[in-house]
Amino acid sequence: DEVRQGVCQKTLAMIALINAPDLIVVGCATEDLPTIEQLAKERGAQRITVLDTAGAFHTSFMQSAASNLEQFLLKYSFTNPEYPIVANLTGKLSTSGTNLRNHLVKGMVSPVLWAKSLGTIKGVDVKFFDIKLFVESGPGTYLTRLNVLNGIPEEQTVNISHFRLKAQS
């Protein structure tokens, strides 16, 4: 709320991701960066990093792309998933194929609620495993760092790109 009221309402910035309680990403036009940085500093931001991205994803700047995705997805039927999916749009479990389609579209113009999603995942009773393990794919350890910021021990996140598979003879 502090970011929303102190930075976003005074500029054209929008919250794009809530990755942890104290790690919030805002999206904006490049020309608004100096103003947004100043407002954030005035409100006590400890660190400000400008991300090099191709767009202000998960904000209303993506409305045109979201409309195109919506039209594209209407061609396909979505069945209900076999297992519940945690939707980053709501941070809640979803078992509806229709909701999943809507979440994909709305997620393009709405903040990713990663911290809330992790809270939901931590509360799910996993029947087949003694330990919950988060699997990160791709380069880097960004998911691992986000998990740690949200209270998940580092050893509970494994980056599968660190494993090498042996070819079978």
Side-chain angles (χ1 to χ4, degrees):
D1 286 338
E2 198 173 313
V3 171
R4 199 173 274 121
Q5 293 169 5
V7 177
C8 296
Q9 286 183 350
K10 296 182 181 186
T11 65
L12 293 178
M14 290 156 264
I15 293 178
L17 299 116
I18 302 175
N19 284 333
D22 59 351
L23 179 57
I24 297 168
V25 177
V26 298
C28 67
T30 305
E31 60 269 14
D32 292 330
L33 279 172
T35 303
I36 291 164
E37 286 180 289
Q38 183 60 38
L39 286 168
K41 286 177 186 173
E42 288 171 6
R43 278 150 185 83
Q46 294 176 2
R47 182 173 157 198
I48 298 168
T49 303
V50 177
L51 302 176
D52 184 17
T53 66
F57 303 109
H58 309 293
T59 70
S60 62
F61 288 104
M62 299 301 294
Q63 186 57 57
S64 175
S67 296
N68 290 339
L69 178 63
E70 183 174 33
Q71 291 304 308
F72 176 78
L73 292 178
L74 286 174
K75 300 173 191 173
Y76 300 94
S77 62
F78 279 60
T79 59
N80 294 341
E82 186 174 341
Y83 300 101
I85 295 173
V86 178
N88 283 332
L89 178 70
T90 63
K92 297 178 182 176
L93 292 172
S94 180
T95 57
S96 162
T98 302
N99 282 349
L100 294 174
R101 174 192 290 137
N102 294 337
H103 289 170
L104 287 171
V105 174
K106 290 178 184 173
M108 291 187 73
V109 295
S110 301
V112 171
L113 304 180
W114 183 251
K116 188 173 182 180
S117 297
L118 278 180
T120 297
I121 292 168
K122 288 192 288 188
V124 172
D125 182 22
V126 180
K127 305 248 186 266
F128 306 108
F129 304 101
D130 292 331
I131 297 174
K132 288 185 185 173
L133 187 65
F134 293 85
V135 179
E136 179 173 19
S137 63
T141 57
Y142 190 69
L143 175 62
T144 303
R145 290 181 286 155
L146 286 182
N147 283 356
V148 169
L149 287 172
N150 283 284
I152 296 170
E154 186 172 345
E155 57 274 7
Q156 279 187 250
T157 307
V158 175
N159 188 310
I160 62 172
S161 64
H162 296 164
F163 294 99
R164 297 189 192 274
L165 300 176
K166 283 186 173 182
Q168 292 183 351
S169 306

